[in-house]
Amino acid sequence: MEDLDKMKLPSHAHGVHFGEAEAKFFSAHPDGIVIGLDEAARGTLAGSMYGAGIALDKDGFERIREFVYDSKLTRTPTLRKHMAETIQSNSVSIHVSRITVDEINAGDNLDFLNRKVLQDALDGTLAGMPSRKCAPTLVVCDSTRLRPVYNGNPVDVYIKGERLHASIAAASLLAKSAFDDEVAELHKLYPRYNFLAHSGYGTASHLGKIRTLGYLPVHRVVFKSFNGMFPAKI
């Protein structure tokens, strides 16, 4: 294993290097598994919320470590899709979960739904690796108020986790790519709203479309942004 002090990958707060936690874990447990968790589209005004989990062994981690550095810098859906496919081919197991707009509009607390989508992603990832269920396992998650649970204990969460952990960055890309696919479908269904331009987020142009044309069944009308808005005639 390369000396951690000599790694070329960027360092962050307190000198922590990208992927350092996973590297230390695999140094102690070469036969172990790291599972990263992240969500996408929590704050959009339209569409579903996605959660993703990815299980990596030592070889898979080392192959994707530099490849996935800071997925927030991966700007285009086409590139994210390509990266998601490569990530999947190097994983032990992945699972992408979804909270629909109807579930969000039912009025449940968003923190609760965030935990649910992450828990579903974790459970699905674990279910996809039955032959490795007894391997030493490290589970890490991007920051969230209500934490998912592994083996009866809340998992470790990290602010800006996708900038510290390769496994979280990989999960982030998987979740974002799934949301990209939904955005593309929304754009086809409702071209006047130009979803490809804003991906459902509350930009000035998106809010202007809603004020002019009305909100759609795919909008999260329980959000405060929709106070005083009217439904679209479709």
Side-chain angles (χ1 to χ4, degrees), residues 15-154:
V16 176
H17 289 279
F18 182 68
E20 181 176 334
E22 292 106 316
K24 287 182 176 179
F25 174 80
F26 284 124
S27 180
H29 306 284
D31 60 340
I33 295 291
V34 170
I35 297 176
L37 303 170
D38 201 2
E39 55 76 26
R42 173 183 169 125
T44 67
L45 299 185
S48 306
M49 182 195 308
Y50 288 86
I54 179 169
L56 296 166
D57 60 14
K58 181 173 179 287
D59 289 341
F61 162 73
E62 291 177 348
R63 283 194 295 269
I64 73 166
R65 187 181 190 178
E66 291 190 64
F67 178 71
V68 300
Y69 176 69
D70 196 354
S71 67
K72 289 189 181 300
L73 300 181
T74 309
R75 301 294 188 186
T76 69
T78 300
L79 181 56
R80 281 195 291 266
K81 190 172 188 65
H82 169 72
M83 293 180 75
E85 291 169 352
T86 303
I87 288 166
Q88 182 172 357
S89 69
N90 285 287
S91 69
V92 173
S93 173
I94 69 165
H95 187 80
V96 177
S97 55
R98 176 186 177 206
I99 299 290
T100 68
V101 69
D102 288 339
E103 292 175 273
I104 295 169
N105 282 336
D108 284 336
N109 180 274
L110 202 60
D111 288 331
F112 171 79
L113 294 175
N114 199 140
R115 178 175 62 184
K116 182 178 185 300
V117 80
L118 290 170
Q119 188 69 56
D120 289 349
L122 173 57
D123 293 345
T125 302
L126 291 167
M129 44 178 273
S131 65
R132 307 295 294 272
K133 65 180 181 180
C134 295
T137 302
L138 172 69
V139 182
V140 291
C141 183
D142 197 30
S143 179
T144 180
R145 284 189 178 185
L146 302 180
R147 295 186 280 172
V149 173
Y150 173 65
N151 277 350
N153 296 306

